[in-house]
Amino acid sequence: MDRLVIISNRVAPVTEGKSQAGGLAVAILEALRRQGGIWFGWNGEMIEEEQTDPGPTITESEQITYATMPLKRRDLEEYYNGYANATLWPLLHYRLDLANFDNATYEGYRRVNALFADRLSPMLRDKDLVWVHDYHLIPLGSELRQRGCRQRIGFFLHTPWPSSEMWQALPAHAELVRALCAYDLVGFHTADDLNCFAQCVTNTGAGAVEVMEDGVSLRIVTPERVVTGRVFPISIDTAHLETLARQAARSSHTRRLRDSLVGRSLIIGVDRLDYSKGLPQRFNAFQELLERYPQNQSRVSFLQIAPPSRSDVTEYQQIRRELETMAGHINGHYAEFDWVPIRYLNKSFGRRTLAGFYRHARVGLVTPLRDGMNLVAKEYVACQNPEDPGVLVLSRFAGAAREMDGALIVNPYDTAEVAENLQRALHMGLEERLERHATMIAQLRRYDITRWREDFVAALEGGNAGNAGAESLPSIDFPRQFA
Ligand code: ADQ
């Protein structure tokens, strides 16, 4: 088997067997353990300009080589806080109003991608399979090609890909689309993302797009190579989560949560504190539930867990303040001496604890304004008691809505519609809940994180095995211009 080389902005500090590790880190580690290989990226540390760059630190454990490096203050500011998180992230999530188009940060972004390529290319062997993750590293493939790397190189985007109109607002839009055409394989969560990308390829003249027979991929023919564009909807470690949730139902944390609710129904939301997650709209929708259906007052609690992220970026500081004010306002208005409507927590929990919380919640409320996939939606479903499952209320703008068809699908901007669906979810009978849950859990068991990873690697290897999972994927309705 060829060696796998995985590159992500941040190499997750995962200790073997720790259940804290997220599904993606677990899947990457499992692949590397099985196949042997390298995980390359930033180690999370910052060094000052005048300090000498020590280059990658290499550590080895169980066939896996971790190659991690620090970044200089300016690089981090321009590449990570700047271009990746203040330009690309908002644009990829349709927030042109928040995107900062600054040439200096673009230079920093290019510089760090070139630095990664400088450090990585000497470590590569001829038959390595190289897998690059996410929007931080779009130009890495072309930088590696410029350094003579002929290996199979794949890229997976964890965010949505926006419409061609939106993408063209980015000054470097054509350059970045051409950079993506330096990969052999480019993967997206949904058919919509792949379609939008294909439109950008056509518009920029980067290549000619053809639909492939499997119904889930496109061929992009460029002067240099044939690039495959394909849908790989990321999934979760379903079997493990089902077990974890069963066990966690009896844990002390779940017991304390249950006791604190004294028989009230629980609505749960779990998100990184990010403006793409639609949290202010969600708080408004919950308030609307209390207003329109006042029988829920004192009878329903909403637990929103939102650990801060990217706190160095101004917009993230602003949304944090906004949510604190909203939670304070709603609680101040509706709370009783023995009931607080919103329990708003800015911290992380272990996977086992979260699994127990999900299982105890009558409703999983997942309402991003845009989201590549949203793993919380899938995790909530996997953690339910199959004999008495809760209901998922899910935004139509999350990639997960393409597969989780047993959810109540809502428009997160329409707070009245979300409130109505919350009311419906809270009062849904067992038969309908069972039916809705059964279709979703079947899909999650069929197409889990291992299947996702195996499909991507097989497609990168270039064999037809990469289409093995195609029958479990929602098929693509390609627009006529590609058919
Ligand atoms: P995120 O935007 O981070 O991921 P999501 O898919 O929901 O969003 O994944 C978050 C993960 O962190 C989940 O596994 C969740 O359980 C965990 N998590 C969130 N809050 C937590 C808390 N308080 N404590 C502990 N764990 C917590 C990006 C894209 C998504 C895409 C994923 C994977 O934005 O669209 O689904 O990558 O590709």
Side-chain angles (χ1 to χ4, degrees):
M1 228 184 281
D2 299 325
R3 200 172 67 149
L4 196 57
V5 178
I6 291 180
I7 306 102
S8 56
N9 164 61
R10 180 86 158 91
V11 173
V14 174
T15 331
E16 196 207 346
K18 281 261 176 76
S19 58
Q20 298 286 44
L24 178 60
V26 170
I28 288 177
L29 284 172
E30 186 191 308
L32 288 169
R33 238 175 244 139
R34 186 168 307 185
Q35 225 159 318
I38 303 177
W39 192 356
F40 181 98
W42 176 42
N43 64 6
E45 286 168 20
M46 184 184 72
I47 55 173
E48 296 301 333
E49 290 308 312
E50 58 279 9
Q51 281 179 269
T52 324
D53 175 358
T57 303
I58 312 288
T59 52
E60 310 238 351
S61 141
E62 298 181 81
Q63 292 207 71
I64 308 174
T65 304
Y66 295 88
T68 59
M69 50 192 261
L71 286 174
K72 293 208 163 175
R73 181 185 290 276
R74 184 166 151 236
D75 285 346
L76 201 58
E77 195 44 49
E78 293 179 2
Y79 147 80
Y80 182 71
N81 289 329
Y83 203 73
N85 286 332
T87 303
L88 289 177
W89 177 270
L91 184 71
L92 292 164
H93 290 84
Y94 286 75
R95 290 300 300 268
L96 259 184
D97 57 320
L98 298 182
N100 174 0
F101 299 106
D102 180 349
N103 272 336
T105 62
Y106 183 55
E107 276 162 32
Y109 178 74
R110 295 304 308 243
R111 193 169 61 242
V112 171
N113 272 270
L115 178 71
F116 269 35
D118 283 339
R119 297 286 188 259
L120 178 64
S121 51
M123 303 172 78
L124 295 179
R125 296 184 197 148
D126 287 352
K127 297 190 111 185
D128 284 345
L129 292 172
V130 182
W131 185 0
V132 179
H133 286 265
D134 232 356
Y135 61 98
H136 314 84
L137 300 173
I138 291 173
L140 183 58
S142 72
E143 293 287 348
L144 288 169
R145 297 283 185 228
Q146 283 165 38
R147 285 158 185 75
C149 299
R150 303 265 169 277
Q151 290 82 355
R152 306 269 310 162
I153 312 181
F155 177 87
F156 186 79
L157 184 70
H158 290 265
T159 69
W161 184 274
S163 75
S164 164
E165 290 279 292
M166 182 70 65
W167 183 250
Q168 283 175 48
L170 190 67
H173 70 100
E175 201 171 317
L176 290 179
V177 167
R178 280 195 297 273
L180 281 169
C181 292
Y183 291 95
D184 296 292
L185 175 66
V186 182
F188 299 92
H189 285 305
T190 70
D192 289 340
D193 301 325
L194 179 58
N195 278 331
C196 288
F197 175 65
Q199 189 77 62
C200 292
V201 171
T202 308
N203 288 352
T204 50
V209 180
E210 298 165 13
V211 181
M212 281 164 79
E213 278 174 10
D214 62 7
V216 290
S217 29
L218 297 172
R219 250 162 71 94
I220 300 163
V221 183
T222 76
E224 290 80 29
R225 66 182 49 75
V226 176
V227 186
T228 301
R230 217 199 101 161
V231 177
F232 301 91
I234 199 168
S235 193
I236 54 168
D237 192 356
T238 313
H240 178 64
L241 268 176
E242 286 184 86
T243 309
L244 212 57
R246 228 176 6 250
Q247 293 166 348
R250 295 184 298 276
S251 76
S252 67
H253 274 100
T254 311
R255 200 172 328 115
R256 278 170 58 195
L257 174 66
R258 191 174 48 231
D259 291 350
S260 74
L261 288 165
V262 283
R264 297 182 177 106
S265 299
L266 180 68
I267 299 172
I268 194 169
V270 176
D271 310 74
R272 268 185 317 98
L273 212 174
D274 192 298
Y275 51 77
S276 66
K277 303 293 183 183
L279 294 171
Q281 290 82 353
R282 195 182 301 174
F283 281 19
N284 280 334
F286 179 68
Q287 180 175 17
E288 198 146 342
L289 173 80
L290 300 179
E291 274 302 311
R292 290 167 65 126
Y293 309 98
Q295 64 272 31
N296 292 308
Q297 293 183 24
S298 286
R299 306 206 52 82
V300 176
S301 289
F302 171 30
L303 172 62
Q304 176 62 56
I305 299 176
S309 65
R310 306 174 191 171
S311 330
D312 292 337
V313 180
T314 317
E315 285 72 20
Y316 287 77
Q317 296 157 7
Q318 279 165 359
I319 185 136
R320 187 170 181 180
R321 276 197 298 275
E322 183 182 354
L323 289 168
E324 277 161 8
T325 308
M326 288 182 79
H329 173 76
I330 296 170
N331 283 339
H333 188 80
Y334 295 95
E336 289 293 341
F337 67 92
D338 61 349
W339 171 66
V340 180
I342 303 184
R343 301 179 184 191
Y344 175 50
L345 279 67
N346 287 138
K347 62 179 186 177
S348 289
F349 287 92
R351 291 182 73 69
R352 182 184 301 272
T353 304
L354 271 188
F357 289 180
Y358 286 141
R359 193 174 181 99
H360 193 69
R362 185 39 79 210
V363 181
L365 185 54
V366 182
T367 51
L369 305 179
R370 284 279 162 187
D371 219 332
M373 175 55 66
N374 196 296
L375 293 177
V376 171
K378 293 186 169 184
E379 289 165 359
Y380 175 78
V381 171
C383 289
Q384 293 310 296
N385 175 356
E387 284 159 21
D388 184 18
V391 181
L392 177 64
V393 174
L394 177 62
S395 161
R396 63 174 65 252
F397 302 119
R402 302 283 166 277
E403 287 170 278
M404 298 292 96
D405 49 6
L408 296 179
I409 303 292
V410 295
N411 172 0
Y413 295 95
D414 185 346
T415 50
E417 187 194 68
V418 177
E420 261 167 46
N421 279 278
L422 279 175
Q423 177 70 354
R424 185 173 165 204
L426 286 164
H427 296 95
M428 191 180 284
L430 179 62
E431 201 178 327
E432 184 176 354
R433 283 188 281 123
L434 286 172
E435 209 173 293
R436 288 175 175 275
H437 178 256
T439 62
M440 295 192 283
I441 195 73
Q443 168 65 4
L444 293 175
R445 288 178 185 150
R446 202 166 40 228
Y447 201 88
D448 66 2
I449 185 81
T450 302
R451 187 73 176 268
W452 173 80
R453 185 256 302 164
E454 284 173 354
D455 264 14
F456 191 94
V457 173
L460 184 56
E461 278 169 333
N464 286 332
N467 297 329
E471 81 282 359
S472 359
L473 302 178
S475 71
I476 302 178
D477 190 12
F478 286 108
R480 207 169 312 136
Q481 67 264 36
F482 303 131

mmCIF file of all heavy atoms in Angstrom, residues 72 141 224:
data_model
loop_
_atom_site.group_PDB
_atom_site.id
_atom_site.type_symbol
_atom_site.label_atom_id
_atom_site.label_comp_id
_atom_site.label_asym_id
_atom_site.label_seq_id
_atom_site.Cartn_x
_atom_site.Cartn_y
_atom_site.Cartn_z
ATOM 1 N N LYS A 72 5.643 31.994 12.294
ATOM 2 C CA LYS A 72 6.034 33.305 12.819
ATOM 3 C C LYS A 72 4.800 34.183 13.014
ATOM 4 O O LYS A 72 3.793 34.007 12.326
ATOM 5 C CB LYS A 72 7.001 33.974 11.839
ATOM 6 C CG LYS A 72 8.324 33.209 11.777
ATOM 7 C CD LYS A 72 9.482 34.087 11.421
ATOM 8 C CE LYS A 72 10.744 33.340 11.792
ATOM 9 N NZ LYS A 72 11.953 34.017 11.401
ATOM 10 N N GLY A 141 -1.070 22.496 -3.443
ATOM 11 C CA GLY A 141 -0.850 21.542 -4.538
ATOM 12 C C GLY A 141 -0.004 22.155 -5.645
ATOM 13 O O GLY A 141 0.971 21.554 -6.107
ATOM 14 N N GLU A 224 -2.685 20.704 -18.399
ATOM 15 C CA GLU A 224 -1.658 19.915 -17.707
ATOM 16 C C GLU A 224 -2.120 18.533 -17.279
ATOM 17 O O GLU A 224 -1.348 17.597 -17.239
ATOM 18 C CB GLU A 224 -1.157 20.632 -16.433
ATOM 19 C CG GLU A 224 -0.334 21.871 -16.671
ATOM 20 C CD GLU A 224 -1.202 23.072 -16.990
ATOM 21 O OE1 GLU A 224 -2.349 23.103 -16.502
ATOM 22 O OE2 GLU A 224 -0.763 23.958 -17.749
#
